[in-house]
Amino acid sequence: MKFKNLQEENINEVINKANILLEALPYIQHFNRRIIIIKYGGSCMVDEELKNSVIKDVVLLKLVGFKPIIVHGGGKDISSWVGKFGNEPKFINGLRYTDGFTMEVVEMVLNKINKSLVQKVEKLGSKAIGISGKDGGLLKVKKKQMGNEDLGYVGEIVEVNNKILYDLLEKDSLPIVCPVGYDDNYDTYNINADDVALNIAKSLKVNKLTFLTDVEGLAKDLNDKNSIISELSVEEARNLIKENIVGGGMLPKINNCIDAIENGVESVHILDGRLKHSLLLEIFTDQGIGTVLKA
Amino acid sequence: MKFKNLQEENINEVINKANILLEALPYIQHFNRRIIIIKYGGSCMVDEELKNSVIKDVVLLKLVGFKPIIVHGGGKDISSWVGKFGNEPKFINGLRYTDGFTMEVVEMVLNKINKSLVQKVEKLGSKAIGISGKDGGLLKVKKKQMGNEDLGYVGEIVEVNNKILYDLLEKDSLPIVCPVGYDDNYDTYNINADDVALNIAKSLKVNKLTFLTDVEGLAKDLNDKNSIISELSVEEARNLIKENIVGGGMLPKINNCIDAIENGVESVHILDGRLKHSLLLEIFTDQGIGTVLKA
Amino acid sequence: MKFKNLQEENINEVINKANILLEALPYIQHFNRRIIIIKYGGSCMVDEELKNSVIKDVVLLKLVGFKPIIVHGGGKDISSWVGKFGNEPKFINGLRYTDGFTMEVVEMVLNKINKSLVQKVEKLGSKAIGISGKDGGLLKVKKKQMGNEDLGYVGEIVEVNNKILYDLLEKDSLPIVCPVGYDDNYDTYNINADDVALNIAKSLKVNKLTFLTDVEGLAKDLNDKNSIISELSVEEARNLIKENIVGGGMLPKINNCIDAIENGVESVHILDGRLKHSLLLEIFTDQGIGTVLKA
Amino acid sequence: MKFKNLQEENINEVINKANILLEALPYIQHFNRRIIIIKYGGSCMVDEELKNSVIKDVVLLKLVGFKPIIVHGGGKDISSWVGKFGNEPKFINGLRYTDGFTMEVVEMVLNKINKSLVQKVEKLGSKAIGISGKDGGLLKVKKKQMGNEDLGYVGEIVEVNNKILYDLLEKDSLPIVCPVGYDDNYDTYNINADDVALNIAKSLKVNKLTFLTDVEGLAKDLNDKNSIISELSVEEARNLIKENIVGGGMLPKINNCIDAIENGVESVHILDGRLKHSLLLEIFTDQGIGTVLKA
Amino acid sequence: MKFKNLQEENINEVINKANILLEALPYIQHFNRRIIIIKYGGSCMVDEELKNSVIKDVVLLKLVGFKPIIVHGGGKDISSWVGKFGNEPKFINGLRYTDGFTMEVVEMVLNKINKSLVQKVEKLGSKAIGISGKDGGLLKVKKKQMGNEDLGYVGEIVEVNNKILYDLLEKDSLPIVCPVGYDDNYDTYNINADDVALNIAKSLKVNKLTFLTDVEGLAKDLNDKNSIISELSVEEARNLIKENIVGGGMLPKINNCIDAIENGVESVHILDGRLKHSLLLEIFTDQGIGTVLKA
Amino acid sequence: MKFKNLQEENINEVINKANILLEALPYIQHFNRRIIIIKYGGSCMVDEELKNSVIKDVVLLKLVGFKPIIVHGGGKDISSWVGKFGNEPKFINGLRYTDGFTMEVVEMVLNKINKSLVQKVEKLGSKAIGISGKDGGLLKVKKKQMGNEDLGYVGEIVEVNNKILYDLLEKDSLPIVCPVGYDDNYDTYNINADDVALNIAKSLKVNKLTFLTDVEGLAKDLNDKNSIISELSVEEARNLIKENIVGGGMLPKINNCIDAIENGVESVHILDGRLKHSLLLEIFTDQGIGTVLKA
């Protein structure tokens, strides 16, 4: 037999808890049985605690009725493993040059990361299946053209065969996708993970596409934290590009966002993956987090 | 275009929010697709704000994957309406004496309350259907025997025909049940709402049966708040009865709890319905609220 | 061991029985798995024997493969209960004026009638569920405008959310609907039961909409029984209105019939609810009963 | 526009009709979705009007929710066709001797009758499929042993593979079965149609097995119409056999009835197929027709 | 314990076997779950070994995932049985004149053949159901007009009600269809089996319609085996007709082929039924067999 | 238009083809919708042509109605990749010692092989999904105990959670499993691929478990090809072990076979993976290939 000892302060704390749970109510309602894509990369793939925090968030989303799909990249792990073989990673215009041997290493590392994420989900009592773009013929690619540069086995998505994703979701699994696919000759290619997330989101016409990144959001002035934009429209985004305000690594991300919205995705989010539970906070609280792009 | 203005304090607050949401994770997991019965009566049926708070909680439970069923009584509304006809309510051993005319009024009032709860659920965007024990032949009763006293149309449940509840839950409706049934002669009887909740819980072998009451929980000494028991076993409950520690209005409640546990219900809860969101706090927080009885 | 004693006359009687059963064959065939709406009101709601006769008919229809839905009003019971509170019912242009308090009484009485019909169906071994327009958000209304008159809580249907009816029919229940709904503010309104039957019929595009009334059918001359029309077309109905032949309480009924036919209902019937089993006779015999309106 | 002309007598006649329809209510209820086997043979297979009457009855049963299966024999048609080839039919102990050529003719005639019954059902707007014991491997037989007599291709059922019947019933077809099967060598055999009906009834554990025969029922004294038994128990039936009261062509039928009851069939009926609609009258009227055997 | 004794030659033979099995791979893939109609008639219905060979082929097709439907005629059996009654078969323009009595015999013989094919399929462990155009109302016909000639009960298809075929295929049965149907008066008619196959193929828009015939294929010169055409287009077929190269019994077949292709059938085949397993060879080998007509 | 040129020899060859296809008939029938496990390792994983031949065979099995599951090891690829990092593979009692770093490499290599097999299946137009024992929690392991030796991350299966396999098979995917799992601490372990195949076979109680090996079968005398056993019983196998006739690498395989049979697997096969299409030949030809163990 246990006894209770509730003081006044406790009561208030407890009521505060209830209110936070209830703040989530309309969001849970809105996304019930809806698919949400989470692109997971950057710092939050390095720090073990952040990794766990992201997975915990996704499992919670799944439990309260969302149908999440994780897309992940390989980040620093790839360079590190390629390095172990005495090869220096080579980049051309920010894209890794991928020779045949490197492609083998890249695929191996991506699959390893993939299964380690599966493992984390299973540890939390939920069911995940890790696939690459090869499984069920999910991603068909062609060799990426980059002016005169040869990038090697870097692919560009030409077709998404999403049946396998529907199959897995129907069986209540959480699909975790790594960015590898094959072309018409069944040669293996590395794909940019952002592109994978974008193309799957477009193919499934999801409600929400979320990029967990290493920035707090889109900023007008990269050096001024107060210039971080919390919400903008496609039109406003185009203007920022025209006025050269967005540039650098942000440019392709913004272009992806615009592409998604114009192809049926309801909202695209750029979140700070370095902030613990940023995903949860973005979805379940009224103030939100990071930058959201809408039609 | 909107800009963000996140101060340090905000960040902490926001992280705190995330933690509270995550505290709910294992409970959501555990109760996924499980039926939970909520007996709703007493003060929380009087105060409009409390009413809304209870319904909000139940809708949240439904959204995160539970399958709740509400059972409600009539409380003061019944006496008030009976009074409008110039009749004084008559009680025998704490049970209302119910003549034919009063039974008509009681049924009308209970149905009115029933539909007003439906309305509240619908208002929150969820789907409810209000039924009485007559619909689908849910509750078969017989006249309650009480020594030599004649209580009139007060019934005792002899059979629960739960098919209708499964039908409604399968169609994703929230059933709201009022405590009226009929006997073999198809005469209408009033039933104690606690008994209805108990018998439905036993028939469905639910995981959780919850009574929202006007006390903070079961107390060893009614005058000492610090004597409120937070958890006890069936055996401990029996001892409290033997030692005459539990008595008064609490005795039938405790007996109900014991009956439930012995018939396959996993845990029974006595919560303070006067505390806003007590239902939510009991289920989603580690410390819990009120008294829980387990095997 | 029992012995038979069949005389010649018996044989003939018995063969006559068979022929009557067989006369029903093509009608049973035609309405197999089709929805039929029965508006039930007037005298046949007062006389207990008539009540039972109507319910018996509907249960038979259900058993032989129809999917009936009953819509009922409150009739004299409402005035009687309102009277018990010392209030005189107030009518404006034939529509009851409904203040807040009266609305509460009206809803209570309608629910009471509703559940008593459920009980009658269950007594015959069939499964019924009584709902109001609130359950599952079935009927959305707005305040009825009547020139300059304020009718109080009298609603006009603006939307029928028929999912709940399909759910109940799929689960082999007989839905019994009472004419109460709510508006955008979730205020409760009384609705004309004929309007409820009509709007549900239009929403479901049913084959047959049947009004059980207190007249033998539509008559050219109200005082001449031989002027009762057994069948007429929409065009003929319009002419009767133009020539002022139809008027009084019949006018809204005829307009409802025309509205139904023009919105996909196959036939609308005005039957004499005071004649026992008129529903059965209309449907299963070649000569029919009452007045039928067709395209 | 048509007018009505209902006299007093009409009204009474019409009410009488309704009562007869309602008398059928509990029977329709009881047999809802239950399988009933109708063995159809003797005179009612000769007279065209009786044939139509039987089929009409069965189609009505199907429409009001029963799941009937017809089993038919060949009767006089077989002898007549065998005769056309100059062969005299040969009987041994009341069983037709069947040589190879005769078996071919028998099968052809049975299939012809089978399809003509299908045609009659289709003509009434219902869906039938005619099968023999060969289709879907329904009936496995072995050569019938009859003391020292060789009966040729006369089979005895050793296995009923009822999957095909469930398949057809599930697809809402009316199965019509003719009594032909094959043995382990896939040789074709003629089977007694009563045996087919009995064995299918036992295999499906149906509620009702009905034999349409050329007698009014089981009689204690074949010459005394007043000695026809309307109802008897298995025990009483055994006594009648022991006391040699039942004999001749009735004996195997009674033994079949006892066998059926002891293997899970609820009631077995011997009806007079020469009386139009005897099937309907037996099922839908309180007084019944013919002889019924129950546990 | 058994020992192996594999010589070099054996190994080669065994590898050859594997290659033949693998040659079938793409065809099995292409026809997975697709319906294929096999018209079965002529010599392969006479010779018992050929009969078995055809059925074996069809059962194999079913097992590897095709959904075959057999349509058969009566061939010489009909003339032979009609002859047994002393009647000479009468032909008008190559079409049998069918009086009422002959129609009865024809139907009987066709049903007998039908059930014997069912038996052969069952013997191979697969499930078949034999139906005629009467079952489930599959084939509606009208009396065939042939200039001034009266052909008696010879029918022309006016409607294919293919629901029954879908039902049987869904239940994993192999439908075997004999060419008999009825007209609006429910009179029975004989139908040309090629027409039945053609019309069912058109109604189901099948991929492959196959005629097993008594010729090796379509020949430009009937006396020159080397003039057999292996593949031709609709246009080429039309030209052959225009140039009077195709004539005699081949003309209606070619017209059927053209009709089929123009109504959605993918390919039509004329195979030599006298060659054992021609069906299998046509479908599973790269070189094919007989003549194929494609768009 | 194409013409045919079929000589006598061709005809014979063509008929021979048909007979080989038909020889497969009973096997296809027997294994319809049955699960078959193929353990794939050794030489046939090295030679590209053999790899393709195995995959082609499995795809054919899938197409003709089997439900195959492939389990593969890593073979020489693992040693080769481990070597690339300057580490010498270390073996203890024939089991690889696996330190943490090696485990990472092993998992990467296995996943790479896994996805390359997926790719080969997809190339043949069929649908595959590559999983490890981590996905869906398929394989739970514990650290393998080997006397006093520490083998590092070498696991022993303690639980097979086969739901994921049923899910994938139901969705018509071909599961390809690599032998990696995790223990209670969610640490990753390498598992013997034969053990994985065996345990999955036992868990699913499959009909056929097939090991593709580098020997022609089980031999009494390893140097005498004529001593290869084609079939033996569990009892005979036990005797061979007792008499020390089986030893070396064969011993664990034989023990696996016995374990499988005793746990519900119908037959276990040891095939020569170096012989092209040995899988097909074993299953589809009467003489079979390799060694089979049965109860």
Side-chain angles (χ1 to χ4, degrees), chain D residues 34-233:
Chain D
R34 300 224 173 125
I35 302 173
I36 167 170
I37 309 285
I38 297 121
K39 159 63 205 318
Y40 166 72
S43 304
C44 60
M45 288 192 58
V46 180
D47 183 81
E48 194 66 16
E49 208 181 324
L50 280 174
K51 257 197 229 178
N52 290 333
S53 136
V54 169
I55 294 302
K56 226 172 180 173
D57 289 7
V58 177
V59 168
L60 184 74
L61 292 182
K62 183 163 178 285
L63 273 168
V64 300
F66 292 56
K67 293 182 164 293
I69 296 171
I70 295 175
V71 175
H72 65 87
K76 296 180 182 158
D77 267 22
I78 289 182
S79 304
S80 140
W81 279 93
V82 171
K84 282 177 188 152
F85 294 99
N87 296 25
E88 270 302 293
K90 212 169 105 188
F91 287 88
I92 297 176
N93 295 340
L95 294 161
R96 182 190 308 276
Y97 174 79
T98 314
D99 59 31
F101 177 76
T102 303
M103 185 62 236
E104 287 194 84
V105 178
V106 168
E107 190 183 8
M108 291 197 304
V109 176
L110 284 170
N111 277 322
K112 191 175 92 70
I113 293 170
N114 187 265
K115 296 306 180 195
S116 79
L117 295 178
V118 166
Q119 205 155 338
K120 281 179 190 302
V121 173
E122 295 277 339
K123 195 171 181 173
L124 289 169
S126 213
K127 200 175 118 192
I129 293 190
I131 58 176
S132 84
K134 293 177 170 181
D135 294 281
L138 176 62
L139 300 173
K140 290 283 169 62
V141 307
K142 63 176 187 187
K143 193 178 164 67
K144 189 165 192 133
Q145 295 306 327
M146 199 66 177
N148 292 328
E149 304 289 354
D150 180 5
L151 296 167
Y153 291 100
V154 173
E156 196 179 309
I157 296 169
V158 291
E159 194 188 320
V160 177
N161 177 4
N162 57 32
K163 185 177 179 315
I164 186 186
L165 294 174
Y166 283 120
D167 282 356
L168 296 179
L169 292 175
E170 191 192 318
K171 288 298 179 188
D172 208 30
S173 284
L174 166 55
I176 301 180
V177 183
C178 76
V180 170
Y182 49 73
D183 69 1
D184 279 351
N185 298 321
Y186 291 86
D187 284 330
T188 303
Y189 285 79
N190 190 13
I191 321 170
N192 179 279
D194 282 7
D195 285 352
V196 172
L198 170 66
N199 278 281
I200 290 178
K202 283 160 65 178
S203 154
L204 300 172
K205 298 214 179 306
V206 301
N207 285 68
K208 211 185 252 293
L209 165 61
T210 308
F211 294 100
L212 287 174
T213 68
D214 280 3
V215 297
E216 283 178 52
L218 185 70
K220 284 196 78 160
D221 176 352
L222 281 174
N223 299 319
D224 176 6
K225 281 206 168 191
N226 288 324
S227 75
I228 292 172
I229 302 163
S230 65
E231 190 176 330
L232 84 168
S233 68

Side-chain angles (χ1 to χ4, degrees), chain B residues 56-117:
Chain B
K56 226 171 181 175
D57 290 6
V58 176
V59 167
L60 184 74
L61 293 182
K62 182 162 179 284
L63 274 168
V64 301
F66 292 56
K67 293 182 166 294
I69 296 171
I70 294 175
V71 175
H72 66 88
K76 297 181 185 161
D77 268 22
I78 289 182
S79 304
S80 140
W81 279 93
V82 170
K84 282 178 189 151
F85 294 100
N87 297 24
E88 270 303 294
K90 210 168 107 189
F91 287 87
I92 297 177
N93 296 338
L95 293 160
R96 183 189 308 277
Y97 175 78
T98 314
D99 59 32
F101 177 78
T102 303
M103 186 61 236
E104 287 194 84
V105 178
V106 167
E107 190 182 10
M108 291 197 302
V109 175
L110 284 169
N111 278 321
K112 190 176 93 72
I113 294 170
N114 187 265
K115 296 307 177 193
S116 79
L117 296 177

Side-chain angles (χ1 to χ4, degrees), chain A residues 81 84-85 101 104-105 107-109 111-112 114-116 118-119 122-125 127-132 134-138 161 163-164 166-168 170-171 173 181-182 185-188, chain F residues 81 84-85 101 104-105 107-109 111-112 114-116 118-119 122-125 127-132 134-138 161 163-164 166-168 170-171 173 181-182 185-188:
Chain A
W81 279 94
K84 284 180 187 149
F85 295 99
F101 177 79
E104 286 193 85
V105 178
E107 189 182 10
M108 291 197 301
V109 175
N111 277 321
K112 191 175 90 74
N114 187 264
K115 296 305 180 195
S116 79
V118 166
Q119 203 157 340
E122 295 276 338
K123 196 170 180 174
L124 290 170
K127 200 174 119 193
I129 293 189
I131 59 175
S132 84
K134 293 178 171 180
D135 295 280
L138 176 62
N161 177 7
K163 184 178 181 313
I164 186 185
Y166 282 121
D167 283 356
L168 295 179
E170 190 192 318
K171 289 295 178 188
S173 284
Y182 50 72
N185 297 322
Y186 292 86
D187 284 329
T188 303
Chain F
W81 279 94
K84 282 180 189 151
F85 293 99
F101 177 78
E104 287 193 83
V105 179
E107 189 183 11
M108 291 198 303
V109 176
N111 278 322
K112 191 176 93 73
N114 186 265
K115 296 305 178 194
S116 79
V118 166
Q119 204 156 338
E122 296 277 337
K123 196 171 181 172
L124 290 170
K127 198 174 118 193
I129 293 189
I131 58 175
S132 84
K134 292 179 172 180
D135 294 280
L138 176 61
N161 176 6
K163 185 178 181 313
I164 186 185
Y166 282 120
D167 282 356
L168 296 178
E170 191 194 317
K171 288 296 179 187
S173 283
Y182 50 73
N185 297 320
Y186 290 87
D187 284 329
T188 304

